[in-house]
Amino acid sequence: MTASAQYATLAAETGTGDILLWVALPYVVLAVFVLGHVWRYRYDKFGWTTRSSQLYERRLLRIGSPLFHFGILVVLIGHIGGLVIPESWTDAAGISEHTYHVSAVVLGTLAGVATVGGLAILVYRRRTVGPVFSATTRNDKAMYLSLTLTIGLGLAATVAANLVGDGYNYRETISPGSGRSSTSGPTRT
């Protein structure tokens, strides 16, 4: 089947809006991310820095920064690992889907809570330590707001989907090797 025929079949099954939102938009975002970093490095090489506030206060920074950064790193590794490791590999390793799912949700929730906790400490530090507050720019405030909304909504969606609903098995629909559309059931070999 040609690529255009596959696209037409996929569009008929899921709808063009879903394809734009869940197929095209992630690639556009990734392209903007990569090209934006290339452009920024090329044209603002020496402005590529943050204004350090470590001299103003260290105690809260020493707690909040590692908590935030290690938490967000585990979240990122979990997302990448979850997307690139197909279900067939965990099946071959003898890990059931339920065990994999529970492990991923527990580890992801702990990492998300650590990330939110670290972010809360860093925001608290920005708001309550005078010299740090004075050094805070509008861009810093926008970044903290954006991070808080994104991380909070992602964590809330994960926790709500797994506490209220049955969760979701993205490995059946978007993981490599799934080869299934969201309307067809799982196919095992």
Side-chain angles (χ1 to χ4, degrees):
M1 184 181 291
T2 66
S4 60
Q6 286 178 336
Y7 176 77
T9 303
L10 184 61
E13 289 178 1
T14 60
T16 304
D18 283 344
I19 290 173
L20 289 175
L21 182 62
W22 300 108
V23 177
L25 184 61
Y27 285 109
V28 170
V29 169
L30 184 63
V32 168
F33 177 78
V34 170
L35 294 174
H37 278 88
V38 169
W39 181 87
R40 176 115 189 245
Y41 179 76
R42 198 163 171 201
Y43 293 103
D44 192 22
K45 190 181 306 186
F46 300 109
W48 190 302
T49 182
T50 59
R51 290 164 298 286
S52 176
S53 62
Q54 183 178 0
L55 295 174
Y56 302 133
E57 193 279 334
R58 289 191 177 132
R59 185 178 57 84
L60 289 172
L61 185 63
R62 197 174 307 129
I63 298 166
S65 184
L67 193 59
F68 172 78
H69 286 95
F70 286 128
I72 203 76
L73 184 63
V74 171
V75 169
L76 178 65
I77 290 169
H79 277 83
I80 292 170
L83 290 174
V84 300
I85 298 174
E87 191 172 355
S88 60
W89 289 11
T90 53
D91 286 345
I95 301 169
S96 72
E97 180 57 34
H98 177 72
T99 302
Y100 173 84
H101 181 76
V102 168
S103 300
V105 169
V106 168
L107 184 61
T109 301
L110 290 174
V113 168
T115 302
V116 169
L119 184 61
I121 291 170
L122 294 173
V123 169
Y124 174 80
R125 176 180 175 269
R126 285 265 173 200
R127 299 295 301 161
T128 61
V129 177
V132 178
F133 182 75
S134 297
T136 303
T137 66
R138 277 186 271 158
N139 286 341
D140 294 330
K141 292 174 186 176
M143 181 265 315
Y144 276 116
L145 179 63
S146 174
L147 278 173
T148 301
L149 285 173
T150 303
I151 294 167
L153 288 172
L155 186 59
T158 299
V159 171
N162 287 288
L163 287 180
V164 177
D166 293 332
Y168 43 85
N169 188 354
Y170 55 88
R171 296 188 333 154
E172 287 184 354
T173 55
I174 63 171
S175 178
S178 63
R180 297 178 282 272
S181 70
S182 60
T183 57
S184 65
T187 55
R188 304 238 184 232
T189 54

